[in-house]
Amino acid sequence: MSNFFKVFNALFKELSMNKNGLNGYDLDCVLVSSMYAEQQSAYLNSYETGLSLSTIKKLVEEYWEVYDRDDALKILMDLLHRNEDEYVDFVYKALEDESNYEAILKANLPTDEGAFEYYLDLYRSLSNTIPELIEENVISHFSELKKIKDSGWNLGRAAFLARCCFELGHLSEEELKDYLGKTHTALKKYCGSWREYTISYIFGRSIWAGANNGGMIAIAETLLNNDKSPLKNKAL
Amino acid sequence: MNPLYLIPVIVLIAGVCYMVYMNAQHSSAKSEINLEQERSRYDIYKQELLNQDFAKLKEWMKDKPIDAFTGASVPQSTSNKLQEIVSDGVKNIVLSGIGLKLRRVETDCFWVLSGKDLHFLSTNTEGDLDEHIVFDTFRIAAASLQYSGVLKSQLGIYSKASEEYLPKVHLITFNIDDSSLSLEIHDRLNYTPGPADMLNMKKQLANRAKYQVVGEKLVDILQSRFSNLKTT
């Protein structure tokens, strides 16, 4: 299914809810995957995605290059800890203090060329993305991103990918439960609400894919405001 | 003899008289302008242009300081190269991103130096901001600059007399992920006389001088901040 139809379905179809959905803390944990799930028109409220096995296999293998349990564990661990990189904090400090960005980056980033270039490219991506998000009314000021960063994007993808890996047999239900709990705990370190989670997800996606976040913004609005959405009026 | 035959003769004589008159006006107005003296008024002119003719630059730059600004253009060779890169797919993602923004720029463009960042701003046919690309201090520190003479227009045909009003350009070449990207820095802002000034040669030349004094400073300031851009 093309991306267009996925976004179209996400916008105009009913929210996908499993009749045998989770409740309480387990539901809270699975909701970390809600942005990605809604993008794929998958169930929002259960470990099972409701997608066909062929769709899940395509998503996991083609987009994530995950073919077995080892691949799955490697990428899931990476996504879970991606926001713990202390150098990224200096990139955000440089964005905040525009007139001194050169000095901040030079003084605090690793000096070997490859690593420095990696963080410099991140700085450049963020510099381009932030004005676009302000223009699209996702945020009103950079300061809104300073704490949340792109944690929602990393952890949201991690949680949904874990659900897919569970359905392909790469993870057991216990492992999935444990992993989703970890993504939920990690998300709370960065985001104070589900609204912040959606902003953070949109932010991360726009760093990766550039402007034109209309589809993602609409999905976030649906999740936050639709009466049938498990995220509506829910505390993180 | 039919008096109608005299009309072309009268028109011709009137045309010659007008040309002589305008040339005299031009020479007289030109002799009154001392470019060196005008250069001493850089700060005043810069503020004046930013407050009036180029007030939109302040809006487009939002709260960022404007240390210098001038005209810009995308050389035909760069347009062709970017077109190829974009058509080829994403071999160089960053350059492709910039290429999508630059491949069809035929409207007014500007360079703005803000701190140690260079901003390339292109406009659309209505004169509104189209694209805003920032070349940060790290990109500039790895760039090179060379004088490239009078701006080579796509039309390429200008009389010797009008050549002095064409911008002279420096070519700045950035390294974007191991691919080069060259853009032109004009030595003046693009001046087009308004209808009210068409016959006022003195005002036209005074404005041209002002546009040149402000525009030509950008390269000087840029070179003072980046030693790698000094040209011999």
Side-chain angles (χ1 to χ4, degrees):
Chain A
M1 193 166 31
S2 73
N3 286 336
F4 170 78
F5 286 111
K6 281 176 188 168
V7 172
F8 183 87
N9 282 343
L11 295 178
F12 298 106
K13 264 180 58 179
E14 292 265 302
L15 292 172
S16 288
M17 303 293 282
N18 191 333
K19 283 175 192 163
N20 304 312
L22 299 161
N23 291 301
Y25 176 71
D26 289 341
L27 176 63
D28 289 354
C29 294
V30 95
L31 287 178
V32 176
S33 69
S34 56
M35 280 293 286
Y36 200 161
E38 184 56 14
Q39 248 181 292
Q40 302 295 329
S41 303
Y43 288 146
L44 296 174
N45 60 338
S46 63
Y47 297 140
E48 297 79 19
T49 61
L51 302 175
S52 69
L53 268 184
S54 61
T55 303
I56 297 172
K57 203 170 161 63
K58 185 180 172 189
L59 193 148
V60 170
E61 292 186 355
E62 279 188 28
Y63 299 156
W64 289 95
E65 296 180 355
V66 168
Y67 298 95
D68 54 31
R69 179 180 165 80
D70 287 346
D71 291 342
L73 292 177
K74 193 176 168 199
I75 187 70
L76 290 175
M77 282 306 119
D78 177 55
L79 286 169
L80 185 62
H81 298 291
R82 203 170 276 187
N83 282 94
E84 292 167 15
D85 183 343
E86 60 182 25
Y87 290 123
V88 173
D89 291 340
F90 292 113
V91 172
Y92 280 80
K93 272 188 186 148
L95 285 162
E96 200 178 18
D97 189 357
E98 277 182 311
S99 55
N100 290 314
Y101 78 89
E102 182 187 8
I104 294 170
L105 294 179
K106 278 183 175 171
N108 297 294
L109 293 185
T111 48
D112 72 279
E113 205 179 314
F116 187 83
E117 281 295 319
Y118 168 81
Y119 292 105
L120 183 57
D121 283 345
L122 178 63
Y123 171 82
R124 284 172 178 151
S125 298
L126 294 173
S127 303
N128 290 331
T129 301
I130 291 162
E132 288 165 0
L133 291 180
I134 292 172
E135 208 166 289
E136 290 173 324
N137 293 318
V138 176
I139 54 165
S140 54
H141 192 266
F142 163 71
S143 57
E144 291 171 51
L145 298 172
K146 203 181 158 193
K147 183 162 182 267
I148 65 176
K149 301 193 180 76
D150 59 346
S151 57
W153 170 244
N154 291 325
L155 296 166
R157 289 181 303 157
F160 188 73
L161 182 61
R163 289 173 63 193
C164 292
C165 288
F166 160 65
E167 290 198 90
L168 291 178
H170 300 326
L171 296 181
S172 69
E173 186 170 335
E174 274 312 301
E175 284 172 323
L176 173 66
K177 240 175 132 171
D178 178 57
Y179 185 79
L180 291 179
K182 283 177 179 160
T183 60
H184 185 254
T185 305
L187 186 68
K188 285 173 78 167
K189 277 202 280 186
Y190 303 98
C191 300
S193 64
W194 287 110
R195 176 167 290 282
E196 285 190 348
Y197 154 75
T198 59
I199 291 171
S200 170
Y201 189 94
I202 295 166
F203 174 47
R205 190 179 182 277
S206 64
I207 296 170
W208 174 69
N212 302 320
N213 295 298
M216 287 301 108
I217 294 167
I219 286 174
E221 287 303 314
T222 303
L223 286 174
L224 295 169
N225 300 318
N226 188 310
D227 287 338
K228 291 178 183 164
S229 168
L231 257 72
K232 190 180 179 186
N233 299 326
K234 192 172 181 58
L236 177 63
Chain B
M1 194 174 69
N2 189 334
L4 283 175
Y5 288 119
L6 290 174
I7 292 174
V9 178
I10 293 167
V11 169
L12 188 69
I13 292 169
V16 170
C17 290
Y18 177 74
M19 272 176 63
V20 170
Y21 171 75
M22 287 307 284
N23 275 340
Q25 287 275 302
H26 181 257
S27 304
S28 154
K30 204 173 160 186
S31 67
E32 286 176 30
I33 290 172
N34 179 338
L35 206 54
E36 277 313 309
Q37 214 171 335
E38 295 294 307
R39 284 183 175 119
S40 67
R41 296 170 61 88
Y42 168 75
D43 289 329
I44 298 165
Y45 287 160
K46 183 189 144 199
Q47 276 321 313
E48 189 185 315
L49 293 186
L50 276 177
N51 290 335
Q52 294 167 17
D53 301 14
F54 299 95
K56 278 191 168 180
L57 284 180
K58 289 203 287 191
E59 184 191 316
W60 297 338
M61 289 293 291
K62 303 206 167 91
D63 295 331
K64 294 189 172 70
I66 296 178
D67 301 334
F69 62 103
T70 191
S73 52
V74 182
Q76 192 60 45
S77 56
T78 299
S79 292
N80 295 343
K81 182 180 166 182
L82 291 171
Q83 187 73 46
E84 280 169 27
I85 287 169
V86 172
S87 321
D88 266 5
V90 281
K91 285 178 188 163
N92 182 332
I93 295 169
V94 180
L95 191 58
S96 294
I98 294 174
L100 282 170
K101 295 177 177 179
L102 290 179
R103 60 183 170 161
R104 275 191 217 103
V105 178
E106 284 152 8
T107 43
D108 273 346
C109 300
F110 301 94
W111 284 111
V112 174
L113 179 63
S114 177
K116 289 179 86 179
D117 290 344
L118 259 179
H119 297 245
F120 184 96
L121 303 138
S122 66
T123 59
N124 58 22
T125 46
E126 276 82 47
D128 296 324
L129 180 66
D130 194 23
E131 297 292 352
H132 185 163
I133 303 167
V134 183
F135 296 92
D136 60 48
T137 183
F138 298 101
R139 287 223 194 277
I140 305 171
S144 62
L145 188 73
Q146 71 180 102
Y147 181 64
S148 173
V150 174
L151 177 68
K152 311 237 179 355
S153 160
Q154 280 174 296
L155 296 172
I157 303 165
Y158 284 94
S159 72
K160 206 73 189 157
S162 64
E163 195 175 286
E164 67 175 298
Y165 298 124
L166 291 177
K168 292 175 188 65
V169 297
H170 277 85
L171 205 61
I172 186 162
T173 304
F174 298 99
N175 180 334
I176 311 285
D177 294 354
D178 295 329
S179 287
S180 60
L181 174 76
S182 296
L183 297 167
E184 287 162 332
I185 305 176
H186 297 192
D187 73 336
R188 65 198 69 192
L189 289 147
N190 181 29
Y191 175 67
T192 311
D197 300 334
M198 286 307 277
L199 295 174
N200 190 341
M201 196 54 76
K202 195 174 170 182
K203 193 171 177 191
Q204 279 188 40
L205 290 181
N207 280 342
R208 279 189 193 283
K210 208 180 285 182
Y211 278 44
Q212 182 177 342
V213 163
V214 172
E216 67 185 7
K217 196 78 176 171
L218 184 133
V219 166
D220 289 345
I221 300 176
L222 186 63
Q223 288 177 321
S224 71
R225 292 180 187 177
F226 293 89
S227 58
N228 58 303
L229 298 184
K230 288 204 168 110
T231 47
T232 48

